[in-house]
């Protein structure tokens, strides 16, 4: 049995790009980026009851089965996102006490960002359970790294902690945008072939856009709170961004292959 | 269980492998894991093609008498109206019959769970059973579905005869992993932390050893097998609790350790 191969090159290409980026020097300037859309601070919501209930009665005939490549992409994407949001909650958990001790006025901001990260983490946890995706196998590793990163940047001071957020959110924003782009390519291909896109995938793209916008909101907060004044800013953000890419790379490749190759 | 016999078989198998030409690899599509379960796009094509399914379902009826053998396959092909030569459609030979057994019995669990637990797979409020109880019921149900071929299973068991064909081990393990995942999914377990791995890992081991135990069980209704199964599940609920907490300990210590130090008044 051979699996239908329809326009999977697009999926491949997008998955390759973090590897390419990973090898490029990341120590350059760009930290503020223009993204497709943004939400205001007010309508960023914390959703802890994410996956909308499935409706099996609404089975439409004109939908295409997902190819193996598409399912691999989706499961890898959900797994990487779970790992990333786990890390995000732990970074903020580790950062908050030292930071808030020194700068009590940051308490509401840290609590707000933590609550959003927790919402993201819950969202991907329930998507992983619902779609029967294998969760990240490197849970303990991400926990240790994220806690270490959060704590060490926080004791370095407010600017360094904010530079950490700035660097992480820049990478994460890019990462979510890549996933959104791949999904849009998938949808476009289906639509040109006359197939319909299932609601669950449309909901997924809505969720990814919402979370992407919230991550970029965190980036704005970080810059507003003098992330750029961290010394040496270029080294700190460069190293952290490289670390993020490395973690995403490991999640997408190592984790993808370990059981498939059994 | 007869470990000495198993060891002998393994030894002969290894010997044989060194003298045999390169073994046929299982078709890759059938060993791929079922990642990302979609609810509103149609499912991907099944493991077996319609022709394979026709031959295998007919051949499966001959298993109680003739075992998981080429002979049963040939009889099945004839019953299904194919020429004897059509068993060439099944390059894995008798192993495709074993796989047919594993796949169909696993797939039968979902409708069974729906009928018995009286709920959708997402777990409605109607069911008073807890996850570990459902795991036990489902595992037992799966073991019972071996009953009609049980006397043929020892010679076909993944743990024994399949070792004679090392190329089949990945497919057998994959099936075992899929079974454990299916049982936890149907039980409504939602955990996606490191316990996801310890649960499925220990259930795989428990299932495989219960299956071996069952091939030697002559008690009425396989009562001893069920007792064996329940003992193993009880044991691991404590052991895997420990294993799980070791894995979590590594992760949480970093975070929790900070908090402990903080609670001791250290300003970090
Ligand atoms: Fe997040
Ligand atoms: Fe974030």
């Amino acid at each position: 049995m051979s699996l239908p191969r329809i326009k999977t090159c697009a999926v491949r290409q997008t998955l390759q790009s973090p590897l390419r980026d990973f090898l490029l020097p990341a120590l350059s300037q760009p930290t503020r980026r223009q993204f497709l859309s943004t939400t205001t601070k007010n309508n960023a919501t914390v959703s802890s009851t994410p996956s909308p209930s499935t409706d099996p009665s609404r089975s439409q005939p004109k939908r295409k089965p997902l190819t193996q490549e598409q399912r691999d992409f989706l499961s890898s994407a959900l797994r990487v996102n779970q790992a990333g949001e786990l890390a995000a909650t732990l970074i903020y958990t580790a950062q908050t006490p030292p930071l808030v001790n020194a700068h009590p006025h940051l308490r509401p901001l840290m609590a707000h960002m933590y609550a959003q990260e927790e919402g993201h983490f819950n969202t991907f946890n329930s998507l992983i359970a619902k779609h029967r995706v294998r969760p990240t196998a490197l849970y303990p590793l991400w926990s240790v790294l994220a806690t270490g990163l959060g704590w060490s940047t926080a004791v370095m001071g407010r600017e360094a902690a904010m530079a950490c957020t700035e660097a992480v959110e820049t990478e994460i924003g890019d990462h979510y945008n890549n996933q959104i782009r791949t999904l849009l390519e998938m949808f476009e291909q289906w639509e040109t072939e006359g197939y319909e896109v299932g609601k669950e995938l449309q909901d997924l793209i809505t969720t990814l856009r919402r979370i992407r916008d919230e991550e970029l909101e965190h980036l704005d907060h970080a810059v507003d709170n003098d992330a750029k004044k961290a010394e040496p800013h270029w080294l700190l953000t460069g190293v952290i961004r490289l670390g993020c890419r490395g973690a995403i790379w490991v999640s997408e490749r190592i984790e993808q292959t370990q059981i498939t190759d059994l | 269980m007869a470990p000495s016999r198993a060891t002998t078989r393994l030894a002969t198998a290894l010997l044989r492998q060194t003298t045999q030409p390169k073994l046929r690899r299982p078709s890759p599509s059938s060993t791929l894991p079922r990642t990302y379960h979609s609810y509103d796009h149609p499912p991907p094509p099944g493991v077996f093609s319609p022709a394979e399914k026709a031959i295998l379902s007919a051949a499966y009826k001959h298993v109680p008498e003739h075992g998981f053998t080429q002979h049963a396959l040939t009889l099945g092909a004839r019953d299904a109206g194919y020429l004897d030569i059509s068993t060439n459609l099944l390059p894995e030979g008798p192993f495709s019959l074993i796989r047919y057994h594993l796949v169909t019995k696993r797939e039968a669990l979902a409708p069974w769970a729906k009928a018995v637990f009286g709920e959708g797979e997402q777990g409605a409020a109607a069911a008073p059973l807890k996850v570990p109880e459902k795991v036990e019921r489902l595992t037992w149900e799966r073991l019972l579905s071996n009953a009609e071929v049980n006397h043929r299973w020892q010679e076909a068991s993944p743990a024994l005869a399949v070792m004679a064909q090392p190329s089949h081990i990945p497919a057998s393990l994959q099936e075992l992993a899929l079974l454990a995942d299916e049982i936890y999914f149907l039980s409504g377990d939602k955990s996606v932390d490191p316990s996801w791995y310890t649960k499925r890992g220990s259930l795989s081991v428990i299932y495989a050893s219960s299956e071996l135990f069952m091939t030697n069980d002559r008690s009425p209704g396989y009562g001893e097998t069920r007792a064996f199964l329940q003992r193993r599940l009880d044991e691991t609920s404590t052991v895997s609790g420990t294993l799980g907490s070791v894995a979590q300990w590594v992760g949480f210590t970093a975070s929790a350790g900070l908090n402990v130090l903080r609670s001791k008044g250290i300003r970090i």
Side-chain angles (χ1 to χ4, degrees):
Chain A
M1 246 174 315
S2 71
L3 295 154
R5 295 187 173 273
I6 296 131
K7 189 93 178 183
T8 49
C9 45
V11 177
R12 279 277 157 66
Q13 209 172 19
T14 322
L15 282 176
Q16 293 306 337
S17 68
L19 172 58
R20 203 183 54 227
D21 293 351
F22 183 54
L23 299 170
L24 289 171
L27 307 177
S28 52
Q29 284 288 8
T31 36
R32 280 307 298 282
R33 298 194 180 185
Q34 289 307 310
F35 291 94
L36 302 173
S37 65
T38 46
T39 39
T40 58
K41 290 160 196 182
N42 305 337
N43 62 16
T45 49
V46 180
S47 158
S48 44
T49 50
S51 52
S53 63
T54 45
D55 191 356
S57 60
R58 260 189 76 246
S59 57
Q60 310 247 349
K62 288 278 275 175
R63 283 181 195 162
K64 215 171 180 183
L66 301 174
T67 63
Q68 184 66 50
E69 282 84 354
Q70 287 167 337
R71 284 184 292 142
D72 285 347
F73 161 73
L74 287 165
S75 59
S76 162
L78 291 180
R79 188 155 49 238
V80 177
N81 297 354
Q82 182 203 25
E85 298 298 349
L86 165 70
T89 56
L90 291 173
I91 289 175
Y92 286 125
T93 305
Q95 275 186 343
T96 301
L99 208 55
V100 167
N101 271 343
H103 309 277
H105 73 282
L106 289 178
R107 187 185 299 275
L109 175 64
M110 296 303 287
H112 170 67
M113 295 201 292
Y114 174 81
Q116 286 187 327
E117 300 299 0
E118 195 183 30
H120 303 168
F121 185 44
N122 291 338
T123 300
F124 289 115
N125 279 345
S126 45
L127 283 173
I128 279 185
K130 176 180 165 193
H131 295 294
R132 306 183 66 172
V133 171
R134 186 169 57 77
T136 176
L138 304 174
Y139 214 104
L141 177 67
W142 304 141
S143 308
V144 171
L145 292 180
T147 302
L149 177 63
W151 180 75
S152 54
T153 51
V155 294
M156 287 166 73
R158 182 176 69 103
E159 292 84 0
M162 292 297 159
C164 169
T165 300
E166 176 199 341
V168 171
E169 303 296 6
T170 304
E171 285 306 317
I172 298 298
D174 274 357
H175 166 75
Y176 281 127
N177 271 332
N178 287 338
Q179 290 183 354
I180 292 168
R181 204 170 305 128
T182 305
L183 278 174
L184 286 175
E185 280 163 9
M186 216 159 108
F187 293 179
E188 205 179 317
Q189 183 64 30
W190 276 333
E191 276 155 8
T192 47
E193 289 170 18
Y195 289 99
E196 182 192 49
V197 180
K199 184 171 179 305
E200 104 197 351
L201 289 178
Q202 282 169 348
D203 288 349
L204 177 62
I205 216 169
T206 310
T207 303
L208 290 178
R209 282 183 168 136
R210 172 180 61 79
I211 292 180
R212 187 261 328 265
D213 290 346
E214 288 175 6
E215 307 300 7
L216 297 177
E217 187 204 312
H218 299 171
L219 171 54
D220 289 345
H221 290 315
V223 174
D224 291 347
N225 282 281
D226 300 331
K228 303 280 188 199
K229 291 189 185 154
E231 279 301 328
H233 177 263
W234 63 272
L235 179 61
L236 208 51
T237 53
V239 167
I240 296 171
R241 288 179 59 186
L242 268 178
C244 290
R245 291 179 193 192
I248 292 171
W249 187 85
V250 165
S251 243
E252 283 179 347
R253 254 143 295 251
I254 314 286
E255 287 219 64
Q256 185 61 38
T257 47
Q258 63 180 359
I259 283 189
T260 324
D261 286 352
L262 186 76
Chain B
M1 274 180 282
S4 56
R5 205 168 140 202
T7 336
T8 330
R9 285 209 214 188
L10 177 58
T12 21
L14 290 175
L15 269 178
R16 205 184 306 161
Q17 198 201 5
T18 53
T19 55
Q20 264 185 3
K22 183 101 180 77
L23 290 156
R24 212 184 285 116
R25 305 212 61 192
S27 56
S29 63
S30 46
T31 53
L32 283 169
R34 291 295 168 101
T35 52
Y36 191 85
H37 179 81
S38 175
Y39 291 84
D40 57 12
H41 282 261
V47 177
F48 302 107
S49 70
E52 289 173 331
K53 215 180 267 176
I55 296 177
L56 287 170
S57 62
Y60 188 71
K61 299 197 178 82
H62 295 282
V63 169
E65 195 182 343
H66 299 285
F68 292 88
T69 56
Q70 188 64 41
H71 185 56
L73 273 183
T74 310
L75 292 175
R78 257 180 235 165
D79 293 352
Y82 288 84
L83 298 170
D84 289 4
I85 193 87
S86 346
T87 53
N88 290 346
L89 276 173
L90 306 160
E92 293 171 353
F95 183 70
S96 50
L97 254 184
I98 295 177
R99 196 203 293 243
Y100 179 81
H101 171 76
L102 297 174
V103 170
T104 52
K105 298 303 181 192
R106 166 169 55 82
E107 287 175 347
L109 287 179
W112 182 87
K114 202 164 190 172
V116 172
F117 301 149
E119 60 184 271
E121 45 200 359
Q122 288 294 301
L129 286 179
K130 294 198 186 77
V131 169
E133 292 162 339
K134 289 186 190 173
V135 168
E136 193 271 337
R137 296 283 303 275
L138 280 157
T139 312
W140 175 237
E141 177 62 22
R142 175 61 191 82
L143 282 170
L144 272 187
S145 66
N146 277 352
E148 62 185 44
V149 296
N150 189 44
H151 59 294
R152 295 290 178 190
W153 193 239
Q154 193 166 30
E155 60 201 32
S157 153
L160 297 174
V162 159
M163 278 195 179
Q165 287 280 38
S167 64
H168 292 151
I169 292 176
S172 304
L173 286 180
Q174 182 65 50
E175 259 307 319
L176 189 58
L178 288 174
L179 176 64
D181 184 60
E182 184 79 359
I183 289 176
Y184 269 104
F185 178 71
L186 293 174
S187 305
D189 185 62
K190 299 264 192 298
S191 50
V192 289
D193 54 7
S195 74
W196 189 95
Y197 289 91
T198 46
K199 280 174 183 161
R200 281 157 183 77
S202 46
L203 183 61
S204 300
V205 173
I206 291 173
Y207 178 79
S209 46
S210 304
E211 200 172 59
L212 276 184
F213 186 94
M214 188 170 166
T215 58
N216 288 322
D217 184 3
R218 303 285 171 267
S219 64
Y222 298 106
E224 285 178 16
T225 302
R226 188 163 198 181
F228 177 88
L229 169 68
Q230 286 169 340
R231 278 198 305 277
R232 297 292 89 78
L233 286 171
D234 286 347
E235 281 166 14
T236 39
S237 65
T238 35
V239 175
S240 73
T242 319
L243 277 180
S245 26
V246 169
Q248 282 169 12
W249 182 83
V250 177
F252 287 143
T253 313
S255 157
L258 270 181
N259 290 330
V260 169
L261 291 176
R262 279 167 191 155
S263 75
K264 300 287 173 212
I266 299 169
R267 306 265 297 171
I268 51 172

